[in-house]
Amino acid sequence: MSFKIGNLEIENKIILAPMAGVSNSPFRILSRKFGAGLVYAEMVSDKGLLHKNEKTMKLLFMTDSERPMAQQIFGSDLKSMVDAAIYIDKYSDADIIDINMGCPVPKVAIRAQAGASLMKNPDLIEEIVYAIVQSVKKPVTVKIRSGWDVKSINAVEVAKRIEKAGACAITVHARTRAQGYSGLADWDVIKAVKENVNIPVIGNGDVVDGPSAKKMLDYTGCDAVMIGRGALGNPWVFREIEAYLKDGTIIDRPTHQEIKEMMIHHLEALCELKGEHVGVLEMRSHGPWYLKGIEHASTLRKQLSHAKTKEEVIEFVNSFFI
Ligand SMILES: Cc1cc2nc3c(=O)[nH]c(=O)nc-3n(C[C@H](O)[C@H](O)[C@H](O)COP(=O)(O)O)c2cc1C
């Protein structure tokens, strides 16, 4: 089940995706506890790091219990990307430095010419990855999309450049930037990348449970799968995938009691890390994710969207699940 990124042994093939606003320390700890072999932290801006922006610096918080952990950076300017990577190399306990070449949001991909925008410029990609690899000790990984749009699918070419530049692994989110998060991921792109590079390939896009994880591994030959939206409000997905990949076991979905306890635990962990105000606000997103598929939860959803204090959230959750 294990695979290697550089010299780092990853105990299984199941990885938490970097998700801004989600893949923070409490969620990474939960994901590791439930079976993710490696967790990716949400992206941080190179410039934010270099200017020691308070919000950016807070995003770097991590604990030993979530390792192995990859810290992702984004940017487009060669020098500041390298300086940001050197900063992570020196001052963060992260095990891996990941470069974001897939973010589609306009603020990143259009205004900053970073994230997925880099897919339009394979020369610059190679230059950035090479310069970073030469400047840091930690293994470097890169996360890309299939291409900018359907007319310019270039993941294979880009992956080859990334391998040549010395990266230790590559994640392919098999959608174009133009697709955003809609439509189905095209796993043929992951397969093609795997067939054309020798570094580990992490497949990403639409893995939501054991069967879809196995299907992606079998179909594409990728070395590991990365789970994003399937983990929202669902840290149990990692233990489910682990059991299924081991021997086809389908384990029970969490009980209402487990969901209730998890919601309260997650809220408390967020409040401890970010303070009550932000913790409660973030739970407004996590809450509905935890309640997906649960009947008659619309009142609780509404209550959560108005809750202002931790005690209020706990009271609403407790009285719903009884
Ligand atoms: C809320 C959210 C935030 C995300 N933030 C990041 C990010 O910071 N860096 C990144 O490379 N991808 C980010 N992504 C993309 C995911 O890592 C992943 O590539 C995408 O969701 C596809 O995988 P999935 O089908 O398993 O969700 C984000 C996705 C979501 C839903």
Side-chain angles (χ1 to χ4, degrees):
M1 275 289 275
S2 69
F3 77 109
K4 271 182 141 183
I5 294 182
N7 287 326
L8 193 69
E9 180 96 18
I10 310 297
E11 70 191 36
N12 65 31
K13 296 171 177 294
I14 313 163
I15 301 176
L16 169 70
M19 285 187 284
V22 177
S23 301
N24 48 29
S25 181
F27 197 66
R28 295 191 303 258
I29 292 173
L30 281 176
S31 301
R32 285 280 294 133
K33 185 174 148 210
F34 280 100
L38 170 65
V39 291
Y40 273 68
E42 54 195 312
M43 61 182 176
V44 295
S45 133
D46 58 347
K47 300 248 163 47
L49 266 186
L50 300 174
H51 295 141
K52 304 255 178 338
N53 174 288
E54 197 186 325
K55 266 194 188 157
T56 308
M57 300 317 275
K58 281 189 180 161
L59 292 178
L60 295 183
F61 178 82
M62 64 173 291
T63 61
D64 273 345
S65 54
E66 65 215 60
R67 294 177 65 186
M69 188 276 251
Q71 179 62 59
Q72 187 182 70
I73 56 174
F74 76 93
S76 61
D77 170 62
L78 179 68
K79 177 154 171 34
S80 56
M81 289 287 275
V82 172
D83 289 345
I86 292 174
Y87 185 92
I88 302 288
D89 203 46
K90 269 198 191 154
Y91 300 113
S92 161
D93 287 332
D95 299 277
I96 293 171
I97 298 170
D98 185 65
I99 310 170
N100 180 318
M101 298 195 176
C103 185
V105 304
K107 196 172 128 194
V108 173
I110 310 267
R111 243 181 293 154
Q113 293 288 297
S117 167
L118 291 167
M119 294 297 295
K120 292 192 281 191
N121 194 342
D123 288 341
L124 180 58
I125 289 182
E126 189 175 332
E127 218 181 322
I128 291 175
V129 178
Y130 181 79
I132 290 179
V133 168
Q134 294 305 313
S135 311
V136 300
K137 293 194 191 73
K138 296 184 199 282
V140 174
T141 62
V142 184
K143 183 162 176 282
I144 64 170
R145 283 191 173 240
S146 305
W148 178 254
D149 60 21
V150 73
K151 287 190 238 102
S152 57
I153 293 189
N154 59 351
V156 170
E157 182 203 347
V158 166
K160 285 184 184 167
R161 300 283 200 104
I162 287 169
E163 176 177 43
K164 188 167 150 225
C168 292
I170 181 159
T171 303
V172 183
H173 174 198
R175 283 188 179 82
T176 62
R177 188 266 164 184
Q179 266 181 292
Y181 295 98
S182 64
L184 283 182
D186 179 0
W187 291 0
D188 283 314
V189 175
I190 301 170
K191 189 168 188 268
V193 169
K194 177 63 194 167
E195 282 162 3
N196 281 280
V197 297
N198 294 309
I199 51 175
V201 174
I202 301 163
N204 173 233
D206 303 341
V207 172
V208 292
D209 54 16
S212 52
K214 180 158 174 23
K215 205 164 156 194
M216 180 187 272
L217 286 164
D218 289 348
Y219 183 74
T220 68
C222 66
D223 299 270
V225 291
M226 178 180 272
I227 296 97
R229 290 162 302 166
L232 296 176
N234 187 22
W236 303 278
V237 72
F238 298 105
R239 74 175 178 196
E240 292 168 14
I241 294 177
E242 198 178 21
Y244 191 82
L245 293 182
K246 216 167 170 189
D247 56 14
T249 303
I250 301 219
I251 55 178
D252 291 340
R253 295 262 54 222
T255 60
H256 281 189
Q257 179 68 18
E258 276 180 291
I259 294 172
K260 174 178 110 176
E261 284 168 10
M262 183 63 71
M263 286 179 79
I264 293 173
H265 167 80
H266 198 164
L267 167 75
E268 285 177 335
L270 285 173
C271 290
E272 201 180 314
L273 178 68
K274 306 192 169 203
E276 180 166 356
H277 178 67
V278 178
V280 169
L281 283 183
E282 290 199 0
M283 209 54 199
R284 289 184 183 176
S285 310
H286 290 282
W289 289 328
Y290 279 109
L291 298 173
K292 211 174 132 194
I294 295 182
E295 282 183 1
H296 311 303
S298 56
T299 308
L300 176 56
R301 266 188 221 111
K302 214 175 280 161
Q303 288 170 327
L304 292 178
S305 72
H306 294 120
K308 291 199 172 55
T309 66
K310 190 169 95 174
E311 290 320 312
E312 260 183 320
V313 176
I314 295 175
E315 196 186 306
F316 292 144
V317 171
N318 274 330
S319 49
F320 175 76
F321 286 105
I322 311 180

